[in-house]
């Protein structure tokens, strides 16, 4: 019965993909990349047949290229999707690289009908290069070190990994290979042992919150998968103490525009890379559709406004749903915030490197709040955000000691500790289409009403 259901689901996905390809062939997407209109940004316009998730698909492509979205105007009300993005590279320059321009055309233009659908891009897919391990559990000092040590003992080499922590929870997607062959690990018994031992590490002494380990010979879109894993782990649920700090959290509001059957989501917070991806990812995975929107991130603070409905066409229809949406968006914004001191390691890759480095962190009472591990061409480039075990900034003497142990040229300090919970700056309220309507006038005309 299970196999039949799985087969039916796979068949349904195939039919959906073929239908989407047919629609795209009949109405091929159009991408216009303009470096003349705007003085300080490249303007990218995407026109396409509308479908659920199309906004995330576009934002994901731009974000994966490490482009910075400074402005965006979104309209997908009806059968057509029209979106305009102002983007720059990380140095705030226009996009002039022909390779990047061609990639955007290929990924979002007429040729994109030949690529897999968005839903498949976030599922587990076969990989010829590595085995994918997904981990969720309770965060604690030394957790990454313990996980790395178990993998080293099991003769697994970590080639790529990304680790997020938020609200006492931790999630990681790790790509590993067999230490001796450099190939993916596919033996069922060995995969079962890896899963069992890692799950034991993740559980620790916590009896109230569970842990989860998924091991597969496959690939995922790592950052979106991390959002999904932490959402499934309910990291957005806050304790009573956290509820007292509402003024220190991102400013997220949800109100209903009853005249048009929209819910209006407004987000104001400190800007950072990939912020738009994180919020759109969460709205999409919570089955909301963005019909209109505007984004402004030209200054130090970002402003996002979305006119949404649920996929069934209804706006947010209860206080409980509204509160859950706000909590989930706050969590999506906070997960990637860089808490702690940034350390960057660059050296020749070797088996056990991650284990040795994180062991030194643990021995010096450092806690890793976020980590990115990449291996390319025999070189390991790893980024760690660290705090002391109590959650405080790291003492300079401790950092000096760690750099002496690892290597002064191997481990570099990048930037200083950041406090992500600084009080958000107030920004002018803007609404769709350049502030044609002000929030006060909409309230006065009873078009938008807050929940009571």
């Amino acid at each position: 019965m299970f196999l039949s259901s799985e087969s039916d689901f796979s068949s349904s996905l195939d039919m959906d993909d073929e239908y989407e390809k047919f629609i795209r062939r009949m109405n091929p997407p159009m991408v216009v990349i303009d470096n003349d209109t705007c003085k300080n940004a490249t303007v990218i316009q995407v026109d396409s047949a509308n479908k659920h998730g199309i906004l995330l698909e576009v934002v994901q492509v731009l974000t994966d290229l490490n482009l910075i979205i400074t402005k965006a105007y979104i309209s997908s009300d009806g059968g057509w999707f029209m979106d305009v993005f102002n983007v720059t590279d990380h140095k705030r320059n226009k996009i002039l690289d022909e390779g990047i321009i061609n990639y955007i055309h290929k990924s979002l233009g007429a040729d994109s009908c030949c690529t897999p659908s968005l839903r498949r891009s976030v599922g587990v897919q076969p990989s010829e290069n590595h085995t994918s391990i997904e981990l969720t559990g309770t965060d604690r000092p030394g957790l990454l070190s313990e996980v790395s040590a178990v993998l080293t003992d099991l003769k697994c080499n970590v080639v790529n990994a990304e680790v997020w922590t938020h609200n006492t929870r931790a999630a990681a997607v790790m790509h590993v290979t067999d230490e001796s062959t450099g190939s993916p690990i596919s033996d069922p018994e060995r995969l079962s042992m890896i899963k069992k031992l890692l799950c034991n590490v993740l559980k620790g002494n916590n009896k109230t919150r569970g842990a989860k380990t998924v091991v597969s010979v496959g690939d995922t879109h790592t950052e979106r998968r991390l959002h999904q894993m932490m959402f499934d782990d309910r990291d957005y649920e806050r304790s009573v103490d956290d509820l007292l700090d509402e003024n220190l959290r991102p400013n997220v509001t949800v109100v209903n525009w009853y005249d048009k059957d929209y819910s209006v989501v407004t987000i104001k917070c400190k800007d950072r890379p990939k912020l738009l991806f994180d919020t759109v990812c969460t709205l999409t995975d919570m089955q909301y559709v963005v019909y209109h929107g505007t984004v402004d991130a030209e200054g130090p603070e970002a402003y996002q406004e979305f006119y949404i409905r649920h996929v069934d066409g209804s706006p947010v229809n209860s206080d409980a749903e509204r509160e859950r949406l706000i909590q989930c968006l706050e969590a999506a914004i906070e997960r990637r915030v860089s808490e702690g001191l940034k350390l960057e390691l660059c050296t020749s890759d070797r088996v056990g490197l991650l284990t040795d480095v994180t062991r030194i962190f643990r021995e010096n009472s450092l806690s890793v709040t976020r980590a990115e591990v990449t291996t390319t061409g025999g070189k390991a480039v790893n980024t760690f955000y660290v705090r002391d075990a109590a959650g405080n900034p790291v003492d300079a003497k401790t950092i000096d000691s760690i750099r002496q142990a690892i290597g002064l040229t191997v481990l570099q300090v990048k930037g200083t500790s950041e406090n992500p919970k600084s009080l958000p700056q107030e920004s002018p309220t803007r609404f769709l289409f350049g502030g044609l309507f002000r929030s006060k006038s909409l309230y006065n005309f009873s078009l938008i009403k807050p929940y009571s």
Side-chain angles (χ1 to χ4, degrees), residues 350-422:
R350 60 175 174 78
V351 175
L353 175 63
L354 182 62
T355 301
D356 292 342
V357 172
T358 53
R359 174 181 52 79
I360 292 172
F361 288 168
R362 184 184 64 190
E363 290 172 350
N364 284 272
S365 300
L366 293 193
S367 177
V368 178
T369 62
R370 190 160 70 87
E372 298 173 13
V373 176
T374 58
T375 305
T376 307
K379 275 282 187 184
V381 180
N382 302 344
T383 301
F384 304 95
Y385 293 88
V386 298
R387 298 178 298 188
D388 72 12
N392 300 316
V394 184
D395 182 80
K397 292 182 179 179
T398 302
I399 293 298
D400 289 341
S401 175
I402 291 171
R403 292 188 65 212
Q404 290 286 349
I406 297 176
L408 294 176
T409 60
V410 172
L411 187 68
Q412 300 288 332
V413 178
K414 300 289 184 178
T416 56
S417 294
E418 296 182 20
N419 180 9
K421 295 184 178 180
S422 59

Side-chain angles (χ1 to χ4, degrees), residues 249-253 265-271 275 279 296 301-305 333 423-430 439:
R249 305 208 302 264
N251 188 334
V252 181
T253 61
V265 177
T266 304
I267 299 170
K268 290 181 282 187
C269 64
K270 182 180 178 181
D271 190 31
L275 177 64
T279 55
D296 185 351
E301 182 165 302
Y303 179 90
Q304 299 178 9
E305 182 177 78
I333 294 167
L423 201 62
Q425 297 290 320
E426 189 66 18
S427 68
T429 301
R430 309 173 192 87
S439 58

